[in-house]
Amino acid sequence: MIEVWGRRSSSNVQKVIWALGELGLDFKRHTVGGSFGGVRDAAYLKMNPNALVPVLQDGDITMFESNAIVRYLGARYGEGTLRPKEPKALALAEQWMEWQQLNVVPHISVIFWNLVRSPAKQRNDKAVADANSKLADILPIADRALASAPWFAGDRFSFGDIVLGVLYWRYSCLDCKKPDTPNIKRWLEALKQREPYQKWVMVQAGHNIAEWNAHEKAVG
Ligand SMILES: N[C@@H](CCC(=O)N[C@@H](CS)C(=O)NCC(=O)O)C(=O)O
């Protein structure tokens, strides 16, 4: 059976378990990382020397890096579904996955860490304002792409929707000013109809550090 190591509250773990859910694959998950620890144990470091989650084990493959894991799952179990078969759709899915990771994730992460994961006294308001202003420039790029197609790869959901799908849920729950992106809004509503997204991603992570800590413990 496929095994995944990583706490459910981790966005990078969520990419993997959401992808597994989309593929209808059973898996066993081990809760490690964050307040649960375990990522510096010798046995874990053998699987992921970075001491980070997630790790995936499937037969003779043990691997880390969430986006690479999602790509592996697509190649092995989701040819034509999670991983588009047609070269143009595959190219678009790959393009947007890279773009989301490099351009959007860092800024949403800054906002999330400051507003939710840090005690109020340590909040860096300037960093939050800078990240918000960068997102106001960057998110319209994704919005324009979604004006001509329902999903990032075209007509069908694919792994090109996974990276932003996880982070955008968090962002949508945050109390901060957001750019007007009607096509992203429609895309998010479509994601919300997907059962694996509801199960693994649409979890309220809280609005401050106390709520986050309670959330992390509760979801495991
Ligand atoms: N590039 C890595 C980043 C992994 C990462 O930063 N994971 C975070 C959680 S989202 C982590 O392990 N933090 C330490 C912990 O949870 O103990 C990936 O995409 O898998």
Side-chain angles (χ1 to χ4, degrees):
M1 170 172 298
I2 294 173
E3 294 185 61
V4 176
W5 280 259
R7 57 189 168 82
R8 269 192 64 177
S9 56
S10 148
S11 57
N12 289 309
V13 172
Q14 286 175 6
K15 292 178 198 167
V16 172
I17 54 185
W18 175 20
L20 284 162
E22 290 286 345
L23 294 165
L25 295 168
D26 281 339
F27 62 95
K28 180 171 161 54
R29 190 180 57 82
H30 308 269
T31 300
V32 294
S35 61
F36 302 100
V39 292
R40 298 207 168 266
D41 294 355
Y44 190 84
L45 288 172
K46 269 194 192 156
M47 297 194 293
N48 187 349
N50 304 291
L52 295 172
V53 294
V55 161
L56 175 110
Q57 197 167 74
D58 182 22
D60 61 355
I61 294 174
T62 303
M63 65 182 295
F64 52 86
E65 283 303 329
S66 58
N67 287 6
I69 295 172
V70 169
R71 285 188 165 97
Y72 161 76
L73 291 171
R76 174 121 193 218
Y77 302 105
E79 194 69 34
T81 57
L82 189 66
R83 181 182 198 267
K85 214 179 198 143
E86 197 269 310
K88 183 178 169 195
L90 176 60
L92 287 173
E94 298 274 11
Q95 168 192 285
W96 285 111
M97 197 174 188
E98 294 290 326
W99 182 87
Q100 293 159 12
Q101 186 68 31
L102 292 169
N103 296 285
V104 183
V105 172
H107 304 306
I108 292 184
S109 299
V110 164
I111 302 172
F112 187 74
W113 271 85
N114 274 285
L115 299 189
V116 178
R117 300 281 316 258
S118 308
K121 271 190 260 164
Q122 287 170 23
R123 192 173 291 163
N124 183 337
D125 292 331
K126 161 108 176 56
V128 172
D130 287 350
N132 271 321
S133 130
K134 295 228 169 69
L135 287 174
D137 287 339
I138 289 165
L139 285 174
I141 297 174
D143 195 63
R144 286 194 289 276
L146 291 172
S148 52
W151 305 102
F152 279 100
D155 292 339
R156 297 180 61 167
F157 171 85
S158 74
F159 58 36
D161 300 288
I162 292 253
V163 176
L164 189 60
V166 167
L167 270 292
Y168 203 85
W169 166 257
R170 286 198 167 172
Y171 180 62
S172 71
C173 296
L174 292 177
D175 190 16
C176 62
K177 187 166 163 29
K178 302 179 182 79
D180 184 27
T181 50
N183 299 305
I184 292 182
K185 196 171 167 197
R186 178 195 31 75
W187 167 82
L188 181 66
E189 289 310 310
L191 285 180
K192 287 183 188 172
Q193 307 309 311
R194 304 183 80 84
E195 193 268 332
Y197 189 72
Q198 294 166 6
K199 181 168 180 188
W200 298 114
V201 183
M202 288 174 63
V203 181
Q204 180 50 257
H207 294 95
N208 54 50
I209 185 67
E211 288 178 14
W212 167 267
N213 287 338
H215 156 74
E216 188 181 275
K217 276 201 181 63
V219 296

